[in-house]
């Protein structure tokens, strides 16, 4: 049995979470068109008859502006040194920049095999793909280079089969039916945040955090009641999330409830509250209470 840990690293919006969901054939990592969607390390477990791969999705590597950004940066960069194999995911449809060079400099210090995954080839011509491959080959030697589309699944099966050859012989780390080690409360909170990212104004998304505060069962209706708090930094953001006559928060709740019911396999009644905590992204105590703790990487 081949086993190993694979770290997914890259810039914001490179497609790491989309790739993870494509491999697992189910959503455990939220995705959106907005950068910095992933905030913590997310583990996805993929088991076949001959291998178990433990994927670790990480926040996009970017220049920190808040304490929350510093947490995200540490979560991402520390994973560079943890994987048996590194998937370096690049949006091949955009020009090379300083952010990619920053990552390449850190990759120079590791010994694990690095796969360059040139993502979003569905947005490129064959000539553009070949030029991207040639340019990236000149920047560093990679164990493997895979042009792929995480969105469509192009070349993903071949990626998985090739990865198996770089893993080690050993027992499974997780039960065969495991898909993630993320607590259900964390996944549910992220599904709610995904809908906020999708539906609200540009100024809101990065100022939002979601916490599942309480769950109880309504025995009469045989429903799980989930109480979730949405935290924002300003009262104006609270008004945007609630919307006119509560229309936006109802839209968010309806869409999130569907995903949570699919996750849990049962009927759910979702109750949402919006609360203001000014500048929470820079307040260490609040970040700790919301589950962002730099001690995780010490």
């Amino acid at each position: 049995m081949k086993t190993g840990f694979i770290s997914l690293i890259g810039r914001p919006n490179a497609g790491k979470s989309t790739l993870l969901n494509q491999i697992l054939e189910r959503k455990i990592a939220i995705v959106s068109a907005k950068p910095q969607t992933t905030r913590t390390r997310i583990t996805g477990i993929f088991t076949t008859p001959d291998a178990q791969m433990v994927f670790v999705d990480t926040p996009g590597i970017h220049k920190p502006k808040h304490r929350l950004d510093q947490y995200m940066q540490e979560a991402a960069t520390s994973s560079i040194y943890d994987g048996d194999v590194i998937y370096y995911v690049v949006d091949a449809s955009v020009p090379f920049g300083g952010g990619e060079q920053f990552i390449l400099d850190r990759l120079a210090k590791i010994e694990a095999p690095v796969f360059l995954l040139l993502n979003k080839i569905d947005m490129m011509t064959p000539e553009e793909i070949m030029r991207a491959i040639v340019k990236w080959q000149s920047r560093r030697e990679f164990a493997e280079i895979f042009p792929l589309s995480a969105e469509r699944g192009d070349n993903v099966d071949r990626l998985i089969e090739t990865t198996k050859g770089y893993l080690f012989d050993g027992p499974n780390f997780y039960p065969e039916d495991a898909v993630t080690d993320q607590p259900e409360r964390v996944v549910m909170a992220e599904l709610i945040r995904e809908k906020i990212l999708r539906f609200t104004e540009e100024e809101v998304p990065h100022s939002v955090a979601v916490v599942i505060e309480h769950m109880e069962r309504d025995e009469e209706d045989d429903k799980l009641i989930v109480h979730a708090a949405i935290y924002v930094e300003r009262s104006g953001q609270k008004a945007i999330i609630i919307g006119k006559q509560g229309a936006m928060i109802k839209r968010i709740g309806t869409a999130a409830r569907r995903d949570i019911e699919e996750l849990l396999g049962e009927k759910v009644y979702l109750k949402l509250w919006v609360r203001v905590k000014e500048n929470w992204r820079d307040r260490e105590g609040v970040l700790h209470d919301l589950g962002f703790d730099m001690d995780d990487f010490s």
Side-chain angles (χ1 to χ4, degrees):
M1 191 76 174
K2 296 290 186 179
T3 60
F5 286 80
I6 299 98
S7 295
L8 283 74
I9 66 166
R11 295 279 293 151
N13 262 25
K16 301 180 297 297
S17 297
T18 301
L19 176 60
L20 178 60
N21 291 338
Q22 180 70 244
I23 291 170
L24 300 179
E25 297 184 342
R26 64 182 294 178
K27 180 188 289 186
I28 67 159
I30 68 170
V31 295
S32 83
K34 298 178 175 66
Q36 301 171 39
T37 296
T38 302
R39 285 179 171 168
T40 61
R41 291 192 289 201
I42 298 170
T43 301
I45 303 153
F46 181 70
T47 305
T48 67
D50 59 346
Q52 183 174 86
M53 304 180 183
V54 183
F55 294 94
V56 182
D57 186 19
T58 63
I61 297 175
H62 63 286
K63 185 177 181 179
K65 296 180 180 179
H66 309 87
R67 286 185 181 273
L68 173 61
D69 288 349
Q70 293 171 2
Y71 171 92
M72 293 162 61
Q73 187 84 330
E74 190 64 28
T77 55
S78 64
S79 293
I80 295 176
Y81 306 100
D82 293 341
D84 299 310
V85 175
I86 308 298
Y87 281 3
Y88 175 22
V89 186
V90 170
D91 181 348
S93 69
V94 301
F96 180 87
E100 302 294 2
Q101 187 60 57
F102 178 86
I103 297 173
L104 285 174
D105 291 343
R106 271 126 194 91
L107 288 174
K109 302 174 184 178
I110 70 165
E111 297 181 359
V114 178
F115 287 22
L116 175 66
L117 309 186
L118 296 173
N119 190 26
K120 305 187 183 183
I121 60 170
D122 51 302
M123 302 170 61
M124 304 168 66
T125 66
E127 292 77 15
E128 289 171 334
I129 295 169
M130 286 305 302
R131 283 198 295 270
I133 293 172
V134 171
K135 287 180 179 178
W136 276 96
Q137 283 176 326
S138 69
R139 294 177 181 128
R140 176 202 155 101
E141 184 176 347
F142 295 94
E144 303 283 349
I145 297 179
F146 278 88
L148 56 82
S149 170
E151 181 72 32
R152 299 193 316 198
D154 297 350
N155 222 16
V156 172
D157 287 345
R158 193 167 72 87
L159 169 65
I160 293 299
E161 286 305 311
T162 302
T163 303
K164 291 178 183 178
Y166 287 82
L167 303 182
F168 303 98
D169 293 323
N172 287 346
F173 296 102
Y174 294 93
E176 289 186 5
D177 59 349
V179 179
T180 183
D181 62 359
Q182 296 289 108
E184 286 182 342
R185 285 174 178 252
V186 172
V187 179
M188 288 189 287
E190 285 290 89
L191 290 172
I192 296 167
R193 188 167 67 89
E194 179 185 55
K195 304 308 176 290
I196 298 170
L197 293 173
R198 182 180 301 172
F199 298 143
T200 61
E201 301 294 333
E202 288 294 329
E203 69 172 284
V204 174
H206 299 314
S207 303
V208 169
V210 181
V211 175
I212 304 299
E213 295 191 325
H214 178 59
M215 293 191 294
E216 59 189 327
R217 181 164 298 283
D218 185 333
E219 299 294 347
E220 185 175 334
D221 291 338
D222 193 27
K223 279 187 177 182
L224 181 67
I225 303 174
V226 177
H227 302 258
I230 300 169
Y231 289 94
V232 294
E233 292 186 314
R234 299 189 298 275
S235 58
Q237 295 166 343
K238 177 177 180 178
I240 291 172
I241 289 178
I242 293 174
K244 188 176 182 180
Q245 297 179 336
M248 178 57 73
I249 198 166
K250 181 177 180 181
R251 184 184 183 192
I252 292 166
T254 299
R257 176 182 53 79
R258 293 193 190 106
D259 277 2
I260 292 172
E261 287 181 337
E262 183 175 347
L263 172 73
L264 301 180
E266 62 175 310
K267 293 293 184 181
V268 170
Y269 180 50
L270 181 60
K271 292 186 175 183
L272 300 177
W273 286 269
V274 186
R275 296 174 181 157
V276 178
K277 280 191 180 290
E278 292 187 4
N279 300 318
W280 67 263
R281 288 177 292 174
D282 262 328
R283 295 165 61 185
E284 200 161 316
V286 177
L287 287 170
H288 182 274
D289 292 342
L290 294 176
F292 304 105
D293 195 338
M294 289 296 290
D295 291 341
D296 293 344
F297 313 113
S298 59

PDB file of all heavy atoms in Angstrom, residues 106-126:
ATOM      1  N   ARG A 106      11.292  29.749  -1.680  1.00  0.00           N
ATOM      2  CA  ARG A 106      11.088  28.857  -0.529  1.00  0.00           C
ATOM      3  C   ARG A 106      11.178  27.388  -0.946  1.00  0.00           C
ATOM      4  O   ARG A 106      11.664  26.549  -0.194  1.00  0.00           O
ATOM      5  CB  ARG A 106       9.770  29.162   0.151  1.00  0.00           C
ATOM      6  CG  ARG A 106       9.945  30.224   1.222  1.00  0.00           C
ATOM      7  CD  ARG A 106       9.016  31.403   1.084  1.00  0.00           C
ATOM      8  NE  ARG A 106       9.513  32.482   1.954  1.00  0.00           N
ATOM      9  CZ  ARG A 106      10.361  33.417   1.543  1.00  0.00           C
ATOM     10  NH1 ARG A 106      10.832  33.407   0.319  1.00  0.00           N
ATOM     11  NH2 ARG A 106      10.747  34.382   2.372  1.00  0.00           N
ATOM     12  N   LEU A 107      10.722  27.084  -2.140  1.00  0.00           N
ATOM     13  CA  LEU A 107      10.809  25.706  -2.621  1.00  0.00           C
ATOM     14  C   LEU A 107      12.261  25.269  -2.818  1.00  0.00           C
ATOM     15  O   LEU A 107      12.562  24.074  -2.783  1.00  0.00           O
ATOM     16  CB  LEU A 107      10.043  25.578  -3.937  1.00  0.00           C
ATOM     17  CG  LEU A 107       8.514  25.637  -3.837  1.00  0.00           C
ATOM     18  CD1 LEU A 107       7.893  25.657  -5.228  1.00  0.00           C
ATOM     19  CD2 LEU A 107       7.965  24.470  -3.027  1.00  0.00           C
ATOM     20  N   ALA A 108      13.151  26.223  -2.990  1.00  0.00           N
ATOM     21  CA  ALA A 108      14.563  25.881  -3.191  1.00  0.00           C
ATOM     22  C   ALA A 108      15.181  25.244  -1.953  1.00  0.00           C
ATOM     23  O   ALA A 108      16.225  24.600  -2.039  1.00  0.00           O
ATOM     24  CB  ALA A 108      15.346  27.136  -3.576  1.00  0.00           C
ATOM     25  N   LYS A 109      14.513  25.402  -0.814  1.00  0.00           N
ATOM     26  CA  LYS A 109      15.079  24.923   0.449  1.00  0.00           C
ATOM     27  C   LYS A 109      14.570  23.533   0.849  1.00  0.00           C
ATOM     28  O   LYS A 109      14.951  23.026   1.888  1.00  0.00           O
ATOM     29  CB  LYS A 109      14.746  25.913   1.565  1.00  0.00           C
ATOM     30  CG  LYS A 109      15.249  27.325   1.306  1.00  0.00           C
ATOM     31  CD  LYS A 109      14.775  28.292   2.373  1.00  0.00           C
ATOM     32  CE  LYS A 109      15.198  29.715   2.065  1.00  0.00           C
ATOM     33  NZ  LYS A 109      14.695  30.679   3.079  1.00  0.00           N
ATOM     34  N   ILE A 110      13.696  22.928   0.044  1.00  0.00           N
ATOM     35  CA  ILE A 110      13.126  21.642   0.439  1.00  0.00           C
ATOM     36  C   ILE A 110      13.654  20.525  -0.442  1.00  0.00           C
ATOM     37  O   ILE A 110      14.147  20.755  -1.556  1.00  0.00           O
ATOM     38  CB  ILE A 110      11.587  21.662   0.390  1.00  0.00           C
ATOM     39  CG1 ILE A 110      11.095  21.729  -1.059  1.00  0.00           C
ATOM     40  CG2 ILE A 110      11.016  22.816   1.194  1.00  0.00           C
ATOM     41  CD1 ILE A 110       9.648  21.394  -1.182  1.00  0.00           C
ATOM     42  N   GLU A 111      13.554  19.297   0.087  1.00  0.00           N
ATOM     43  CA  GLU A 111      14.056  18.134  -0.637  1.00  0.00           C
ATOM     44  C   GLU A 111      12.940  17.284  -1.231  1.00  0.00           C
ATOM     45  O   GLU A 111      13.205  16.439  -2.087  1.00  0.00           O
ATOM     46  CB  GLU A 111      14.897  17.276   0.308  1.00  0.00           C
ATOM     47  CG  GLU A 111      16.150  17.985   0.835  1.00  0.00           C
ATOM     48  CD  GLU A 111      16.977  17.095   1.744  1.00  0.00           C
ATOM     49  OE1 GLU A 111      16.563  15.933   1.970  1.00  0.00           O
ATOM     50  OE2 GLU A 111      18.038  17.553   2.209  1.00  0.00           O
ATOM     51  N   ALA A 112      11.701  17.471  -0.789  1.00  0.00           N
ATOM     52  CA  ALA A 112      10.586  16.674  -1.302  1.00  0.00           C
ATOM     53  C   ALA A 112      10.371  16.971  -2.786  1.00  0.00           C
ATOM     54  O   ALA A 112      10.637  18.082  -3.255  1.00  0.00           O
ATOM     55  CB  ALA A 112       9.316  16.993  -0.517  1.00  0.00           C
ATOM     56  N   PRO A 113       9.911  15.974  -3.555  1.00  0.00           N
ATOM     57  CA  PRO A 113       9.627  16.219  -4.973  1.00  0.00           C
ATOM     58  C   PRO A 113       8.516  17.259  -5.142  1.00  0.00           C
ATOM     59  O   PRO A 113       7.499  17.217  -4.448  1.00  0.00           O
ATOM     60  CB  PRO A 113       9.187  14.847  -5.489  1.00  0.00           C
ATOM     61  CG  PRO A 113       8.803  14.067  -4.278  1.00  0.00           C
ATOM     62  CD  PRO A 113       9.635  14.586  -3.156  1.00  0.00           C
ATOM     63  N   VAL A 114       8.727  18.182  -6.054  1.00  0.00           N
ATOM     64  CA  VAL A 114       7.768  19.255  -6.318  1.00  0.00           C
ATOM     65  C   VAL A 114       7.146  19.040  -7.696  1.00  0.00           C
ATOM     66  O   VAL A 114       7.868  18.975  -8.700  1.00  0.00           O
ATOM     67  CB  VAL A 114       8.432  20.642  -6.250  1.00  0.00           C
ATOM     68  CG1 VAL A 114       7.413  21.738  -6.582  1.00  0.00           C
ATOM     69  CG2 VAL A 114       9.043  20.879  -4.870  1.00  0.00           C
ATOM     70  N   PHE A 115       5.811  18.934  -7.721  1.00  0.00           N
ATOM     71  CA  PHE A 115       5.075  18.858  -8.977  1.00  0.00           C
ATOM     72  C   PHE A 115       4.593  20.271  -9.315  1.00  0.00           C
ATOM     73  O   PHE A 115       3.940  20.917  -8.496  1.00  0.00           O
ATOM     74  CB  PHE A 115       3.841  17.961  -8.847  1.00  0.00           C
ATOM     75  CG  PHE A 115       4.122  16.487  -8.777  1.00  0.00           C
ATOM     76  CD1 PHE A 115       5.351  15.990  -8.379  1.00  0.00           C
ATOM     77  CD2 PHE A 115       3.122  15.579  -9.100  1.00  0.00           C
ATOM     78  CE1 PHE A 115       5.584  14.623  -8.297  1.00  0.00           C
ATOM     79  CE2 PHE A 115       3.338  14.216  -9.028  1.00  0.00           C
ATOM     80  CZ  PHE A 115       4.579  13.737  -8.632  1.00  0.00           C
ATOM     81  N   LEU A 116       4.891  20.743 -10.503  1.00  0.00           N
ATOM     82  CA  LEU A 116       4.321  22.001 -10.970  1.00  0.00           C
ATOM     83  C   LEU A 116       3.013  21.702 -11.687  1.00  0.00           C
ATOM     84  O   LEU A 116       2.999  20.977 -12.689  1.00  0.00           O
ATOM     85  CB  LEU A 116       5.295  22.704 -11.931  1.00  0.00           C
ATOM     86  CG  LEU A 116       4.750  23.984 -12.578  1.00  0.00           C
ATOM     87  CD1 LEU A 116       4.536  25.077 -11.536  1.00  0.00           C
ATOM     88  CD2 LEU A 116       5.675  24.463 -13.692  1.00  0.00           C
ATOM     89  N   LEU A 117       1.932  22.239 -11.170  1.00  0.00           N
ATOM     90  CA  LEU A 117       0.612  22.035 -11.769  1.00  0.00           C
ATOM     91  C   LEU A 117       0.175  23.336 -12.426  1.00  0.00           C
ATOM     92  O   LEU A 117      -0.184  24.301 -11.750  1.00  0.00           O
ATOM     93  CB  LEU A 117      -0.399  21.601 -10.707  1.00  0.00           C
ATOM     94  CG  LEU A 117       0.008  20.417  -9.821  1.00  0.00           C
ATOM     95  CD1 LEU A 117      -1.148  20.000  -8.918  1.00  0.00           C
ATOM     96  CD2 LEU A 117       0.487  19.241 -10.661  1.00  0.00           C
ATOM     97  N   LEU A 118       0.233  23.375 -13.742  1.00  0.00           N
ATOM     98  CA  LEU A 118      -0.161  24.555 -14.510  1.00  0.00           C
ATOM     99  C   LEU A 118      -1.661  24.488 -14.733  1.00  0.00           C
ATOM    100  O   LEU A 118      -2.151  23.834 -15.662  1.00  0.00           O
ATOM    101  CB  LEU A 118       0.606  24.604 -15.830  1.00  0.00           C
ATOM    102  CG  LEU A 118       2.129  24.765 -15.685  1.00  0.00           C
ATOM    103  CD1 LEU A 118       2.810  24.639 -17.032  1.00  0.00           C
ATOM    104  CD2 LEU A 118       2.477  26.090 -15.028  1.00  0.00           C
ATOM    105  N   ASN A 119      -2.392  25.164 -13.868  1.00  0.00           N
ATOM    106  CA  ASN A 119      -3.853  25.073 -13.840  1.00  0.00           C
ATOM    107  C   ASN A 119      -4.488  26.080 -14.801  1.00  0.00           C
ATOM    108  O   ASN A 119      -3.857  27.014 -15.260  1.00  0.00           O
ATOM    109  CB  ASN A 119      -4.339  25.310 -12.404  1.00  0.00           C
ATOM    110  CG  ASN A 119      -5.810  24.998 -12.241  1.00  0.00           C
ATOM    111  OD1 ASN A 119      -6.375  24.191 -12.986  1.00  0.00           O
ATOM    112  ND2 ASN A 119      -6.449  25.641 -11.291  1.00  0.00           N
ATOM    113  N   LYS A 120      -5.773  25.835 -15.059  1.00  0.00           N
ATOM    114  CA  LYS A 120      -6.637  26.702 -15.876  1.00  0.00           C
ATOM    115  C   LYS A 120      -6.233  26.695 -17.354  1.00  0.00           C
ATOM    116  O   LYS A 120      -6.369  27.700 -18.055  1.00  0.00           O
ATOM    117  CB  LYS A 120      -6.677  28.125 -15.323  1.00  0.00           C
ATOM    118  CG  LYS A 120      -7.105  28.182 -13.850  1.00  0.00           C
ATOM    119  CD  LYS A 120      -7.316  29.584 -13.349  1.00  0.00           C
ATOM    120  CE  LYS A 120      -7.677  29.571 -11.867  1.00  0.00           C
ATOM    121  NZ  LYS A 120      -7.962  30.913 -11.316  1.00  0.00           N
ATOM    122  N   ILE A 121      -5.788  25.525 -17.834  1.00  0.00           N
ATOM    123  CA  ILE A 121      -5.418  25.433 -19.248  1.00  0.00           C
ATOM    124  C   ILE A 121      -6.652  25.507 -20.146  1.00  0.00           C
ATOM    125  O   ILE A 121      -6.509  25.721 -21.357  1.00  0.00           O
ATOM    126  CB  ILE A 121      -4.628  24.142 -19.549  1.00  0.00           C
ATOM    127  CG1 ILE A 121      -5.467  22.900 -19.210  1.00  0.00           C
ATOM    128  CG2 ILE A 121      -3.301  24.138 -18.795  1.00  0.00           C
ATOM    129  CD1 ILE A 121      -4.846  21.605 -19.708  1.00  0.00           C
ATOM    130  N   ASP A 122      -7.846  25.346 -19.558  1.00  0.00           N
ATOM    131  CA  ASP A 122      -9.072  25.489 -20.343  1.00  0.00           C
ATOM    132  C   ASP A 122      -9.270  26.936 -20.799  1.00  0.00           C
ATOM    133  O   ASP A 122     -10.100  27.202 -21.674  1.00  0.00           O
ATOM    134  CB  ASP A 122     -10.286  25.028 -19.533  1.00  0.00           C
ATOM    135  CG  ASP A 122     -10.359  25.652 -18.152  1.00  0.00           C
ATOM    136  OD1 ASP A 122      -9.396  25.473 -17.394  1.00  0.00           O
ATOM    137  OD2 ASP A 122     -11.369  26.313 -17.845  1.00  0.00           O
ATOM    138  N   MET A 123      -8.501  27.858 -20.240  1.00  0.00           N
ATOM    139  CA  MET A 123      -8.580  29.265 -20.617  1.00  0.00           C
ATOM    140  C   MET A 123      -7.441  29.651 -21.558  1.00  0.00           C
ATOM    141  O   MET A 123      -7.236  30.837 -21.831  1.00  0.00           O
ATOM    142  CB  MET A 123      -8.536  30.139 -19.357  1.00  0.00           C
ATOM    143  CG  MET A 123      -9.639  29.849 -18.365  1.00  0.00           C
ATOM    144  SD  MET A 123      -9.392  30.676 -16.769  1.00  0.00           S
ATOM    145  CE  MET A 123      -9.417  32.400 -17.270  1.00  0.00           C
ATOM    146  N   MET A 124      -6.682  28.663 -22.045  1.00  0.00           N
ATOM    147  CA  MET A 124      -5.489  28.938 -22.846  1.00  0.00           C
ATOM    148  C   MET A 124      -5.522  28.158 -24.165  1.00  0.00           C
ATOM    149  O   MET A 124      -6.164  27.111 -24.262  1.00  0.00           O
ATOM    150  CB  MET A 124      -4.232  28.549 -22.049  1.00  0.00           C
ATOM    151  CG  MET A 124      -4.118  29.219 -20.693  1.00  0.00           C
ATOM    152  SD  MET A 124      -2.817  28.481 -19.660  1.00  0.00           S
ATOM    153  CE  MET A 124      -1.342  28.931 -20.601  1.00  0.00           C
ATOM    154  N   THR A 125      -4.793  28.660 -25.148  1.00  0.00           N
ATOM    155  CA  THR A 125      -4.620  27.934 -26.407  1.00  0.00           C
ATOM    156  C   THR A 125      -3.477  26.929 -26.242  1.00  0.00           C
ATOM    157  O   THR A 125      -2.644  27.070 -25.345  1.00  0.00           O
ATOM    158  CB  THR A 125      -4.275  28.903 -27.547  1.00  0.00           C
ATOM    159  OG1 THR A 125      -2.983  29.486 -27.290  1.00  0.00           O
ATOM    160  CG2 THR A 125      -5.315  30.013 -27.667  1.00  0.00           C
ATOM    161  N   PRO A 126      -3.418  25.907 -27.090  1.00  0.00           N
ATOM    162  CA  PRO A 126      -2.292  24.961 -27.010  1.00  0.00           C
ATOM    163  C   PRO A 126      -0.937  25.648 -27.112  1.00  0.00           C
ATOM    164  O   PRO A 126       0.023  25.246 -26.436  1.00  0.00           O
ATOM    165  CB  PRO A 126      -2.538  24.036 -28.210  1.00  0.00           C
ATOM    166  CG  PRO A 126      -4.020  24.078 -28.416  1.00  0.00           C
ATOM    167  CD  PRO A 126      -4.425  25.485 -28.079  1.00  0.00           C
TER     168      PRO A 126
END
